[in-house]
Amino acid sequence: MSAEIPASREVPKKENRFKVWRQTRPFWAGLLTMIGGVPIAYLPYGDMRLGNATLAMQTTAGAGALIIGVLLITLGFTMWFQPVVRVFAGVATIVLALVSIPVSNFGGLVIGFLFALIGGGMSAAWAPAPPVEETDDAQHDGRPEASEEAGAEPETEVVVAAGVPEQRETYESAAETTTDANGGRNSAG
């Protein structure tokens, strides 16, 4: 659990667990990144048979293409299971997708490149939803008049805006070696 993901107060229903899990992380970005890694890793090693003829798309940089593809698949899983590092994973995915153009048959025949590029962009842009504030006294069915008393106006809260943090008062140091502590510069004597 990280500081960004609020703890749930109740266990979601069985049919909603996957939906809740999917909504708390860049799910589609990770999926597109993994889909993009497959053609980038596979196409330099794959071959196609047309009758008796074999069409091989092997390149001299096949090992580099395999490494890029495996890294993209790993970054996709990272987006799923470690959503805190989503921006790093997104930027790394975009860089690897761009590197795959010269290394892996134009980025897996442009298909893998496009999937990885879109997945990386989605991961870098994704942000968790703000937590829903739950109040104990506002237990109603969604209608504002259900929580109000008969004819009474709803209570309003005063929210103090975050201003300038309080300044600490300066104090004189009791050390004999400090002669001047103004502005954070200390000189030992």
PDB file of all heavy atoms in Angstrom, residues 68-106:
ATOM      1  N   ILE A  68      14.348  -5.281 -25.858  1.00  0.00           N
ATOM      2  CA  ILE A  68      13.365  -4.192 -25.842  1.00  0.00           C
ATOM      3  C   ILE A  68      11.955  -4.748 -25.616  1.00  0.00           C
ATOM      4  O   ILE A  68      11.185  -4.210 -24.830  1.00  0.00           O
ATOM      5  CB  ILE A  68      13.439  -3.373 -27.147  1.00  0.00           C
ATOM      6  CG1 ILE A  68      14.734  -2.583 -27.176  1.00  0.00           C
ATOM      7  CG2 ILE A  68      12.250  -2.439 -27.277  1.00  0.00           C
ATOM      8  CD1 ILE A  68      15.000  -1.894 -28.496  1.00  0.00           C
ATOM      9  N   GLY A  69      11.620  -5.828 -26.299  1.00  0.00           N
ATOM     10  CA  GLY A  69      10.295  -6.425 -26.129  1.00  0.00           C
ATOM     11  C   GLY A  69      10.053  -6.924 -24.716  1.00  0.00           C
ATOM     12  O   GLY A  69       8.979  -6.695 -24.141  1.00  0.00           O
ATOM     13  N   VAL A  70      11.036  -7.597 -24.141  1.00  0.00           N
ATOM     14  CA  VAL A  70      10.893  -8.107 -22.766  1.00  0.00           C
ATOM     15  C   VAL A  70      10.806  -6.944 -21.776  1.00  0.00           C
ATOM     16  O   VAL A  70      10.007  -6.986 -20.823  1.00  0.00           O
ATOM     17  CB  VAL A  70      12.056  -9.063 -22.427  1.00  0.00           C
ATOM     18  CG1 VAL A  70      12.099  -9.383 -20.948  1.00  0.00           C
ATOM     19  CG2 VAL A  70      11.938 -10.339 -23.241  1.00  0.00           C
ATOM     20  N   LEU A  71      11.590  -5.890 -21.998  1.00  0.00           N
ATOM     21  CA  LEU A  71      11.507  -4.728 -21.117  1.00  0.00           C
ATOM     22  C   LEU A  71      10.141  -4.041 -21.211  1.00  0.00           C
ATOM     23  O   LEU A  71       9.606  -3.571 -20.210  1.00  0.00           O
ATOM     24  CB  LEU A  71      12.621  -3.728 -21.433  1.00  0.00           C
ATOM     25  CG  LEU A  71      14.005  -4.087 -20.918  1.00  0.00           C
ATOM     26  CD1 LEU A  71      15.035  -3.088 -21.415  1.00  0.00           C
ATOM     27  CD2 LEU A  71      14.021  -4.136 -19.411  1.00  0.00           C
ATOM     28  N   LEU A  72       9.579  -3.979 -22.399  1.00  0.00           N
ATOM     29  CA  LEU A  72       8.251  -3.381 -22.543  1.00  0.00           C
ATOM     30  C   LEU A  72       7.189  -4.203 -21.817  1.00  0.00           C
ATOM     31  O   LEU A  72       6.300  -3.645 -21.170  1.00  0.00           O
ATOM     32  CB  LEU A  72       7.887  -3.220 -24.020  1.00  0.00           C
ATOM     33  CG  LEU A  72       8.589  -2.074 -24.750  1.00  0.00           C
ATOM     34  CD1 LEU A  72       8.288  -2.128 -26.235  1.00  0.00           C
ATOM     35  CD2 LEU A  72       8.177  -0.740 -24.173  1.00  0.00           C
ATOM     36  N   ILE A  73       7.277  -5.506 -21.933  1.00  0.00           N
ATOM     37  CA  ILE A  73       6.322  -6.361 -21.215  1.00  0.00           C
ATOM     38  C   ILE A  73       6.499  -6.196 -19.702  1.00  0.00           C
ATOM     39  O   ILE A  73       5.524  -6.100 -18.956  1.00  0.00           O
ATOM     40  CB  ILE A  73       6.480  -7.829 -21.658  1.00  0.00           C
ATOM     41  CG1 ILE A  73       6.046  -7.969 -23.127  1.00  0.00           C
ATOM     42  CG2 ILE A  73       5.683  -8.762 -20.759  1.00  0.00           C
ATOM     43  CD1 ILE A  73       6.377  -9.298 -23.757  1.00  0.00           C
ATOM     44  N   THR A  74       7.738  -6.114 -19.245  1.00  0.00           N
ATOM     45  CA  THR A  74       8.008  -5.901 -17.823  1.00  0.00           C
ATOM     46  C   THR A  74       7.488  -4.539 -17.359  1.00  0.00           C
ATOM     47  O   THR A  74       6.912  -4.426 -16.271  1.00  0.00           O
ATOM     48  CB  THR A  74       9.522  -6.003 -17.551  1.00  0.00           C
ATOM     49  OG1 THR A  74       9.985  -7.276 -18.015  1.00  0.00           O
ATOM     50  CG2 THR A  74       9.836  -5.848 -16.086  1.00  0.00           C
ATOM     51  N   LEU A  75       7.659  -3.508 -18.178  1.00  0.00           N
ATOM     52  CA  LEU A  75       7.136  -2.188 -17.816  1.00  0.00           C
ATOM     53  C   LEU A  75       5.610  -2.186 -17.766  1.00  0.00           C
ATOM     54  O   LEU A  75       5.006  -1.483 -16.954  1.00  0.00           O
ATOM     55  CB  LEU A  75       7.640  -1.133 -18.795  1.00  0.00           C
ATOM     56  CG  LEU A  75       9.100  -0.713 -18.611  1.00  0.00           C
ATOM     57  CD1 LEU A  75       9.561   0.148 -19.780  1.00  0.00           C
ATOM     58  CD2 LEU A  75       9.279   0.020 -17.303  1.00  0.00           C
ATOM     59  N   GLY A  76       4.974  -2.978 -18.627  1.00  0.00           N
ATOM     60  CA  GLY A  76       3.520  -3.101 -18.571  1.00  0.00           C
ATOM     61  C   GLY A  76       3.058  -3.703 -17.255  1.00  0.00           C
ATOM     62  O   GLY A  76       2.100  -3.226 -16.640  1.00  0.00           O
ATOM     63  N   PHE A  77       3.751  -4.755 -16.803  1.00  0.00           N
ATOM     64  CA  PHE A  77       3.416  -5.341 -15.502  1.00  0.00           C
ATOM     65  C   PHE A  77       3.730  -4.369 -14.365  1.00  0.00           C
ATOM     66  O   PHE A  77       3.024  -4.327 -13.361  1.00  0.00           O
ATOM     67  CB  PHE A  77       4.159  -6.667 -15.291  1.00  0.00           C
ATOM     68  CG  PHE A  77       3.509  -7.831 -15.970  1.00  0.00           C
ATOM     69  CD1 PHE A  77       4.162  -8.508 -16.987  1.00  0.00           C
ATOM     70  CD2 PHE A  77       2.247  -8.252 -15.601  1.00  0.00           C
ATOM     71  CE1 PHE A  77       3.560  -9.581 -17.620  1.00  0.00           C
ATOM     72  CE2 PHE A  77       1.635  -9.326 -16.226  1.00  0.00           C
ATOM     73  CZ  PHE A  77       2.298  -9.995 -17.237  1.00  0.00           C
ATOM     74  N   THR A  78       4.790  -3.584 -14.525  1.00  0.00           N
ATOM     75  CA  THR A  78       5.127  -2.587 -13.506  1.00  0.00           C
ATOM     76  C   THR A  78       4.027  -1.550 -13.382  1.00  0.00           C
ATOM     77  O   THR A  78       3.687  -1.117 -12.277  1.00  0.00           O
ATOM     78  CB  THR A  78       6.467  -1.909 -13.857  1.00  0.00           C
ATOM     79  OG1 THR A  78       7.477  -2.900 -13.946  1.00  0.00           O
ATOM     80  CG2 THR A  78       6.853  -0.882 -12.806  1.00  0.00           C
ATOM     81  N   MET A  79       3.452  -1.140 -14.505  1.00  0.00           N
ATOM     82  CA  MET A  79       2.345  -0.182 -14.461  1.00  0.00           C
ATOM     83  C   MET A  79       1.153  -0.763 -13.710  1.00  0.00           C
ATOM     84  O   MET A  79       0.432  -0.041 -13.017  1.00  0.00           O
ATOM     85  CB  MET A  79       1.916   0.208 -15.873  1.00  0.00           C
ATOM     86  CG  MET A  79       2.916   1.021 -16.620  1.00  0.00           C
ATOM     87  SD  MET A  79       2.370   1.236 -18.318  1.00  0.00           S
ATOM     88  CE  MET A  79       3.890   1.677 -19.110  1.00  0.00           C
ATOM     89  N   TRP A  80       0.940  -2.048 -13.834  1.00  0.00           N
ATOM     90  CA  TRP A  80      -0.180  -2.697 -13.162  1.00  0.00           C
ATOM     91  C   TRP A  80       0.047  -2.852 -11.673  1.00  0.00           C
ATOM     92  O   TRP A  80      -0.827  -2.578 -10.866  1.00  0.00           O
ATOM     93  CB  TRP A  80      -0.424  -4.070 -13.756  1.00  0.00           C
ATOM     94  CG  TRP A  80      -1.200  -4.063 -15.026  1.00  0.00           C
ATOM     95  CD1 TRP A  80      -1.657  -2.989 -15.723  1.00  0.00           C
ATOM     96  CD2 TRP A  80      -1.612  -5.208 -15.750  1.00  0.00           C
ATOM     97  NE1 TRP A  80      -2.315  -3.395 -16.837  1.00  0.00           N
ATOM     98  CE2 TRP A  80      -2.307  -4.766 -16.884  1.00  0.00           C
ATOM     99  CE3 TRP A  80      -1.456  -6.567 -15.565  1.00  0.00           C
ATOM    100  CZ2 TRP A  80      -2.853  -5.633 -17.818  1.00  0.00           C
ATOM    101  CZ3 TRP A  80      -1.994  -7.430 -16.487  1.00  0.00           C
ATOM    102  CH2 TRP A  80      -2.689  -6.964 -17.604  1.00  0.00           C
ATOM    103  N   PHE A  81       1.224  -3.351 -11.296  1.00  0.00           N
ATOM    104  CA  PHE A  81       1.436  -3.758  -9.916  1.00  0.00           C
ATOM    105  C   PHE A  81       2.193  -2.738  -9.073  1.00  0.00           C
ATOM    106  O   PHE A  81       2.263  -2.883  -7.859  1.00  0.00           O
ATOM    107  CB  PHE A  81       2.128  -5.116  -9.865  1.00  0.00           C
ATOM    108  CG  PHE A  81       1.286  -6.204 -10.469  1.00  0.00           C
ATOM    109  CD1 PHE A  81       1.633  -6.792 -11.671  1.00  0.00           C
ATOM    110  CD2 PHE A  81       0.115  -6.604  -9.850  1.00  0.00           C
ATOM    111  CE1 PHE A  81       0.845  -7.778 -12.243  1.00  0.00           C
ATOM    112  CE2 PHE A  81      -0.677  -7.591 -10.414  1.00  0.00           C
ATOM    113  CZ  PHE A  81      -0.313  -8.174 -11.610  1.00  0.00           C
ATOM    114  N   GLN A  82       2.773  -1.710  -9.691  1.00  0.00           N
ATOM    115  CA  GLN A  82       3.438  -0.624  -8.966  1.00  0.00           C
ATOM    116  C   GLN A  82       3.010   0.711  -9.570  1.00  0.00           C
ATOM    117  O   GLN A  82       3.794   1.390 -10.224  1.00  0.00           O
ATOM    118  CB  GLN A  82       4.965  -0.767  -9.038  1.00  0.00           C
ATOM    119  CG  GLN A  82       5.516  -1.969  -8.358  1.00  0.00           C
ATOM    120  CD  GLN A  82       5.340  -1.892  -6.859  1.00  0.00           C
ATOM    121  OE1 GLN A  82       5.379  -0.831  -6.267  1.00  0.00           O
ATOM    122  NE2 GLN A  82       5.131  -3.048  -6.231  1.00  0.00           N
ATOM    123  N   PRO A  83       1.759   1.119  -9.381  1.00  0.00           N
ATOM    124  CA  PRO A  83       1.286   2.345 -10.034  1.00  0.00           C
ATOM    125  C   PRO A  83       1.970   3.625  -9.552  1.00  0.00           C
ATOM    126  O   PRO A  83       1.827   4.660 -10.172  1.00  0.00           O
ATOM    127  CB  PRO A  83      -0.206   2.371  -9.730  1.00  0.00           C
ATOM    128  CG  PRO A  83      -0.398   1.491  -8.571  1.00  0.00           C
ATOM    129  CD  PRO A  83       0.703   0.474  -8.614  1.00  0.00           C
ATOM    130  N   VAL A  84       2.743   3.546  -8.479  1.00  0.00           N
ATOM    131  CA  VAL A  84       3.442   4.727  -7.990  1.00  0.00           C
ATOM    132  C   VAL A  84       4.528   5.157  -8.979  1.00  0.00           C
ATOM    133  O   VAL A  84       4.800   6.345  -9.128  1.00  0.00           O
ATOM    134  CB  VAL A  84       4.046   4.436  -6.599  1.00  0.00           C
ATOM    135  CG1 VAL A  84       4.853   5.600  -6.091  1.00  0.00           C
ATOM    136  CG2 VAL A  84       2.949   4.114  -5.620  1.00  0.00           C
ATOM    137  N   VAL A  85       5.121   4.223  -9.690  1.00  0.00           N
ATOM    138  CA  VAL A  85       6.189   4.539 -10.641  1.00  0.00           C
ATOM    139  C   VAL A  85       5.663   4.646 -12.065  1.00  0.00           C
ATOM    140  O   VAL A  85       6.393   4.428 -13.022  1.00  0.00           O
ATOM    141  CB  VAL A  85       7.333   3.504 -10.554  1.00  0.00           C
ATOM    142  CG1 VAL A  85       8.026   3.577  -9.228  1.00  0.00           C
ATOM    143  CG2 VAL A  85       6.844   2.117 -10.840  1.00  0.00           C
ATOM    144  N   ARG A  86       4.401   5.020 -12.213  1.00  0.00           N
ATOM    145  CA  ARG A  86       3.761   5.073 -13.528  1.00  0.00           C
ATOM    146  C   ARG A  86       4.415   6.078 -14.463  1.00  0.00           C
ATOM    147  O   ARG A  86       4.501   5.827 -15.659  1.00  0.00           O
ATOM    148  CB  ARG A  86       2.287   5.384 -13.369  1.00  0.00           C
ATOM    149  CG  ARG A  86       2.053   6.781 -12.841  1.00  0.00           C
ATOM    150  CD  ARG A  86       0.634   7.028 -12.436  1.00  0.00           C
ATOM    151  NE  ARG A  86       0.483   8.341 -11.864  1.00  0.00           N
ATOM    152  CZ  ARG A  86       0.725   8.641 -10.607  1.00  0.00           C
ATOM    153  NH1 ARG A  86       1.129   7.704  -9.785  1.00  0.00           N
ATOM    154  NH2 ARG A  86       0.559   9.872 -10.171  1.00  0.00           N
ATOM    155  N   VAL A  87       4.890   7.218 -13.945  1.00  0.00           N
ATOM    156  CA  VAL A  87       5.497   8.231 -14.809  1.00  0.00           C
ATOM    157  C   VAL A  87       6.829   7.727 -15.342  1.00  0.00           C
ATOM    158  O   VAL A  87       7.120   7.852 -16.537  1.00  0.00           O
ATOM    159  CB  VAL A  87       5.653   9.573 -14.059  1.00  0.00           C
ATOM    160  CG1 VAL A  87       6.380  10.593 -14.913  1.00  0.00           C
ATOM    161  CG2 VAL A  87       4.295  10.101 -13.642  1.00  0.00           C
ATOM    162  N   PHE A  88       7.647   7.140 -14.472  1.00  0.00           N
ATOM    163  CA  PHE A  88       8.912   6.569 -14.932  1.00  0.00           C
ATOM    164  C   PHE A  88       8.675   5.464 -15.947  1.00  0.00           C
ATOM    165  O   PHE A  88       9.339   5.409 -16.986  1.00  0.00           O
ATOM    166  CB  PHE A  88       9.709   6.005 -13.750  1.00  0.00           C
ATOM    167  CG  PHE A  88      10.861   5.150 -14.181  1.00  0.00           C
ATOM    168  CD1 PHE A  88      12.006   5.721 -14.687  1.00  0.00           C
ATOM    169  CD2 PHE A  88      10.774   3.766 -14.118  1.00  0.00           C
ATOM    170  CE1 PHE A  88      13.057   4.931 -15.115  1.00  0.00           C
ATOM    171  CE2 PHE A  88      11.818   2.974 -14.538  1.00  0.00           C
ATOM    172  CZ  PHE A  88      12.966   3.553 -15.038  1.00  0.00           C
ATOM    173  N   ALA A  89       7.723   4.587 -15.655  1.00  0.00           N
ATOM    174  CA  ALA A  89       7.436   3.488 -16.579  1.00  0.00           C
ATOM    175  C   ALA A  89       6.922   4.018 -17.910  1.00  0.00           C
ATOM    176  O   ALA A  89       7.265   3.482 -18.970  1.00  0.00           O
ATOM    177  CB  ALA A  89       6.415   2.529 -15.954  1.00  0.00           C
ATOM    178  N   GLY A  90       6.126   5.070 -17.892  1.00  0.00           N
ATOM    179  CA  GLY A  90       5.613   5.650 -19.125  1.00  0.00           C
ATOM    180  C   GLY A  90       6.708   6.274 -19.969  1.00  0.00           C
ATOM    181  O   GLY A  90       6.774   6.074 -21.185  1.00  0.00           O
ATOM    182  N   VAL A  91       7.601   7.026 -19.333  1.00  0.00           N
ATOM    183  CA  VAL A  91       8.702   7.654 -20.067  1.00  0.00           C
ATOM    184  C   VAL A  91       9.660   6.594 -20.599  1.00  0.00           C
ATOM    185  O   VAL A  91      10.113   6.671 -21.752  1.00  0.00           O
ATOM    186  CB  VAL A  91       9.430   8.685 -19.167  1.00  0.00           C
ATOM    187  CG1 VAL A  91      10.699   9.191 -19.817  1.00  0.00           C
ATOM    188  CG2 VAL A  91       8.500   9.839 -18.836  1.00  0.00           C
ATOM    189  N   ALA A  92       9.956   5.577 -19.787  1.00  0.00           N
ATOM    190  CA  ALA A  92      10.835   4.496 -20.248  1.00  0.00           C
ATOM    191  C   ALA A  92      10.200   3.737 -21.405  1.00  0.00           C
ATOM    192  O   ALA A  92      10.888   3.328 -22.351  1.00  0.00           O
ATOM    193  CB  ALA A  92      11.144   3.546 -19.091  1.00  0.00           C
ATOM    194  N   THR A  93       8.887   3.558 -21.374  1.00  0.00           N
ATOM    195  CA  THR A  93       8.187   2.886 -22.465  1.00  0.00           C
ATOM    196  C   THR A  93       8.281   3.700 -23.754  1.00  0.00           C
ATOM    197  O   THR A  93       8.523   3.146 -24.833  1.00  0.00           O
ATOM    198  CB  THR A  93       6.707   2.663 -22.086  1.00  0.00           C
ATOM    199  OG1 THR A  93       6.664   1.812 -20.949  1.00  0.00           O
ATOM    200  CG2 THR A  93       5.932   2.032 -23.215  1.00  0.00           C
ATOM    201  N   ILE A  94       8.110   5.007 -23.655  1.00  0.00           N
ATOM    202  CA  ILE A  94       8.208   5.858 -24.843  1.00  0.00           C
ATOM    203  C   ILE A  94       9.612   5.809 -25.427  1.00  0.00           C
ATOM    204  O   ILE A  94       9.791   5.698 -26.644  1.00  0.00           O
ATOM    205  CB  ILE A  94       7.789   7.304 -24.494  1.00  0.00           C
ATOM    206  CG1 ILE A  94       6.292   7.352 -24.184  1.00  0.00           C
ATOM    207  CG2 ILE A  94       8.128   8.264 -25.630  1.00  0.00           C
ATOM    208  CD1 ILE A  94       5.827   8.666 -23.611  1.00  0.00           C
ATOM    209  N   VAL A  95      10.627   5.862 -24.564  1.00  0.00           N
ATOM    210  CA  VAL A  95      12.014   5.808 -25.047  1.00  0.00           C
ATOM    211  C   VAL A  95      12.299   4.460 -25.711  1.00  0.00           C
ATOM    212  O   VAL A  95      12.889   4.400 -26.802  1.00  0.00           O
ATOM    213  CB  VAL A  95      12.992   6.078 -23.884  1.00  0.00           C
ATOM    214  CG1 VAL A  95      14.421   5.767 -24.277  1.00  0.00           C
ATOM    215  CG2 VAL A  95      12.876   7.524 -23.427  1.00  0.00           C
ATOM    216  N   LEU A  96      11.861   3.372 -25.099  1.00  0.00           N
ATOM    217  CA  LEU A  96      12.087   2.052 -25.695  1.00  0.00           C
ATOM    218  C   LEU A  96      11.317   1.891 -27.002  1.00  0.00           C
ATOM    219  O   LEU A  96      11.805   1.241 -27.934  1.00  0.00           O
ATOM    220  CB  LEU A  96      11.696   0.949 -24.715  1.00  0.00           C
ATOM    221  CG  LEU A  96      12.677   0.723 -23.567  1.00  0.00           C
ATOM    222  CD1 LEU A  96      12.101  -0.266 -22.568  1.00  0.00           C
ATOM    223  CD2 LEU A  96      14.016   0.231 -24.086  1.00  0.00           C
ATOM    224  N   ALA A  97      10.127   2.455 -27.088  1.00  0.00           N
ATOM    225  CA  ALA A  97       9.371   2.387 -28.341  1.00  0.00           C
ATOM    226  C   ALA A  97      10.104   3.134 -29.445  1.00  0.00           C
ATOM    227  O   ALA A  97      10.169   2.666 -30.595  1.00  0.00           O
ATOM    228  CB  ALA A  97       7.975   2.966 -28.139  1.00  0.00           C
ATOM    229  N   LEU A  98      10.679   4.285 -29.121  1.00  0.00           N
ATOM    230  CA  LEU A  98      11.435   5.034 -30.124  1.00  0.00           C
ATOM    231  C   LEU A  98      12.715   4.314 -30.532  1.00  0.00           C
ATOM    232  O   LEU A  98      13.096   4.320 -31.706  1.00  0.00           O
ATOM    233  CB  LEU A  98      11.752   6.433 -29.590  1.00  0.00           C
ATOM    234  CG  LEU A  98      10.552   7.365 -29.443  1.00  0.00           C
ATOM    235  CD1 LEU A  98      10.955   8.638 -28.718  1.00  0.00           C
ATOM    236  CD2 LEU A  98       9.963   7.684 -30.805  1.00  0.00           C
ATOM    237  N   VAL A  99      13.362   3.662 -29.580  1.00  0.00           N
ATOM    238  CA  VAL A  99      14.578   2.906 -29.894  1.00  0.00           C
ATOM    239  C   VAL A  99      14.257   1.677 -30.735  1.00  0.00           C
ATOM    240  O   VAL A  99      15.076   1.224 -31.537  1.00  0.00           O
ATOM    241  CB  VAL A  99      15.316   2.520 -28.589  1.00  0.00           C
ATOM    242  CG1 VAL A  99      16.425   1.527 -28.828  1.00  0.00           C
ATOM    243  CG2 VAL A  99      15.867   3.767 -27.921  1.00  0.00           C
ATOM    244  N   SER A 100      13.047   1.154 -30.601  1.00  0.00           N
ATOM    245  CA  SER A 100      12.686  -0.052 -31.348  1.00  0.00           C
ATOM    246  C   SER A 100      12.532   0.206 -32.853  1.00  0.00           C
ATOM    247  O   SER A 100      12.537  -0.746 -33.624  1.00  0.00           O
ATOM    248  CB  SER A 100      11.391  -0.652 -30.793  1.00  0.00           C
ATOM    249  OG  SER A 100      10.280   0.122 -31.186  1.00  0.00           O
ATOM    250  N   ILE A 101      12.404   1.439 -33.263  1.00  0.00           N
ATOM    251  CA  ILE A 101      12.252   1.724 -34.700  1.00  0.00           C
ATOM    252  C   ILE A 101      13.490   1.278 -35.474  1.00  0.00           C
ATOM    253  O   ILE A 101      13.374   0.502 -36.426  1.00  0.00           O
ATOM    254  CB  ILE A 101      11.928   3.219 -34.927  1.00  0.00           C
ATOM    255  CG1 ILE A 101      10.525   3.508 -34.414  1.00  0.00           C
ATOM    256  CG2 ILE A 101      12.026   3.575 -36.405  1.00  0.00           C
ATOM    257  CD1 ILE A 101      10.152   4.964 -34.458  1.00  0.00           C
ATOM    258  N   PRO A 102      14.701   1.691 -35.112  1.00  0.00           N
ATOM    259  CA  PRO A 102      15.857   1.203 -35.887  1.00  0.00           C
ATOM    260  C   PRO A 102      16.298  -0.213 -35.500  1.00  0.00           C
ATOM    261  O   PRO A 102      16.930  -0.899 -36.295  1.00  0.00           O
ATOM    262  CB  PRO A 102      16.965   2.212 -35.578  1.00  0.00           C
ATOM    263  CG  PRO A 102      16.614   2.780 -34.253  1.00  0.00           C
ATOM    264  CD  PRO A 102      15.113   2.750 -34.184  1.00  0.00           C
ATOM    265  N   VAL A 103      15.975  -0.645 -34.289  1.00  0.00           N
ATOM    266  CA  VAL A 103      16.498  -1.926 -33.812  1.00  0.00           C
ATOM    267  C   VAL A 103      15.630  -3.104 -34.242  1.00  0.00           C
ATOM    268  O   VAL A 103      16.143  -4.149 -34.617  1.00  0.00           O
ATOM    269  CB  VAL A 103      16.657  -1.888 -32.267  1.00  0.00           C
ATOM    270  CG1 VAL A 103      17.002  -3.247 -31.714  1.00  0.00           C
ATOM    271  CG2 VAL A 103      17.707  -0.879 -31.877  1.00  0.00           C
ATOM    272  N   SER A 104      14.323  -2.970 -34.214  1.00  0.00           N
ATOM    273  CA  SER A 104      13.441  -4.118 -34.376  1.00  0.00           C
ATOM    274  C   SER A 104      12.478  -3.948 -35.540  1.00  0.00           C
ATOM    275  O   SER A 104      11.273  -3.768 -35.342  1.00  0.00           O
ATOM    276  CB  SER A 104      12.652  -4.324 -33.076  1.00  0.00           C
ATOM    277  OG  SER A 104      11.705  -5.342 -33.242  1.00  0.00           O
ATOM    278  N   ASN A 105      12.970  -3.997 -36.751  1.00  0.00           N
ATOM    279  CA  ASN A 105      12.115  -3.983 -37.952  1.00  0.00           C
ATOM    280  C   ASN A 105      11.060  -2.877 -37.885  1.00  0.00           C
ATOM    281  O   ASN A 105       9.863  -3.142 -37.946  1.00  0.00           O
ATOM    282  CB  ASN A 105      11.418  -5.335 -38.151  1.00  0.00           C
ATOM    283  CG  ASN A 105      12.406  -6.417 -38.476  1.00  0.00           C
ATOM    284  OD1 ASN A 105      13.449  -6.159 -39.055  1.00  0.00           O
ATOM    285  ND2 ASN A 105      12.080  -7.635 -38.088  1.00  0.00           N
ATOM    286  N   PHE A 106      11.508  -1.668 -37.770  1.00  0.00           N
ATOM    287  CA  PHE A 106      10.621  -0.508 -37.672  1.00  0.00           C
ATOM    288  C   PHE A 106       9.635  -0.647 -36.513  1.00  0.00           C
ATOM    289  O   PHE A 106       8.448  -0.390 -36.647  1.00  0.00           O
ATOM    290  CB  PHE A 106       9.874  -0.253 -38.989  1.00  0.00           C
ATOM    291  CG  PHE A 106      10.787   0.094 -40.113  1.00  0.00           C
ATOM    292  CD1 PHE A 106      10.976  -0.788 -41.157  1.00  0.00           C
ATOM    293  CD2 PHE A 106      11.457   1.294 -40.116  1.00  0.00           C
ATOM    294  CE1 PHE A 106      11.827  -0.474 -42.191  1.00  0.00           C
ATOM    295  CE2 PHE A 106      12.315   1.612 -41.146  1.00  0.00           C
ATOM    296  CZ  PHE A 106      12.504   0.732 -42.192  1.00  0.00           C
TER     297      PHE A 106
END
